[in-house]
Amino acid sequence: MLPQKNRLRRGFGVGKKVEERKSPSFLLKVFASKESQKKPFVKVSLLVPKKTEKLATKRNTIRRVGYEALKDFLPNVSPNHTLVFLTLRPLGKETKKNLRALCKKEFEELLSQAKLL
C-alpha cells in the first residue's frame, strides 16, 4: 500500500483539473493543488468502478497491485499534484504478475505524457 500521506481521502479538496491523459486501460486525471498547502505533496487515488469489475475481490486486487506499481514512481513525480487513475476496461482476468507489469508500463507512459516525471 501507499503511505497514508500519499493517499487521497474523501473530503480532501482536489483543486482545479489541469489535464486528462488516456491509455488503453487507464484514464489519468491531474489536479493542481490549492496554493495554501505548506508542504509539497502528491496525492494518488486509483478507482476501479463496478462497471469494469463486478466482484469486490477483483476490484481490491487491481487497486492493491496498482498502488504497488505507483509506489516506485511517487518520489519522481513533481509535487503539489493530485492524481486520479480510473480503470477503463476489465483487468480481473490478468494474473498478478501480468497486471503489475501492465500497470507499471501504462502508469509510466501516462505520467511522462502529463510531464509529471
Side-chain angles (χ1 to χ4, degrees):
M1 285 298 283
L2 288 176
Q4 189 167 0
K5 66 179 183 176
N6 293 117
R7 283 184 260 162
L8 183 63
R9 294 289 179 199
R10 287 183 191 191
F12 182 82
V14 292
K16 184 180 174 187
K17 184 162 72 166
V18 177
E19 64 181 309
E20 279 187 11
R21 297 290 175 177
K22 196 173 182 181
S23 73
S25 302
F26 295 98
L27 174 71
L28 168 64
K29 293 184 179 187
V30 180
F31 296 91
S33 71
K34 296 180 178 174
E35 298 302 321
S36 64
Q37 299 295 332
K38 293 176 179 74
K39 289 185 175 180
F41 69 93
V42 175
K43 294 279 188 183
V44 178
S45 179
L46 196 128
L47 305 175
V48 184
K50 279 188 180 179
K51 267 188 175 179
T52 57
E53 290 295 339
K54 297 292 182 204
L55 297 176
T57 54
K58 289 184 179 181
R59 289 195 305 270
N60 290 335
T61 301
I62 293 168
R63 198 169 310 138
R64 282 188 201 109
V65 170
Y67 280 138
E68 282 297 318
L70 277 169
K71 196 184 281 189
D72 299 335
F73 299 113
L74 279 183
N76 302 328
V77 174
S78 59
N80 295 330
H81 286 92
T82 302
L83 310 174
V84 178
F85 290 90
L86 178 71
T87 56
L88 297 176
R89 67 178 182 92
L91 299 171
K93 293 184 180 178
E94 300 280 342
T95 63
K96 283 187 181 181
K97 188 176 181 180
N98 291 345
L99 184 60
R100 189 172 292 118
L102 174 77
C103 287
K104 277 192 175 196
K105 184 183 115 194
E106 291 198 13
F107 290 162
E108 183 175 17
E109 179 184 313
L110 287 170
L111 290 171
S112 60
Q113 282 179 3
K115 296 183 177 114
L116 294 173
L117 285 180

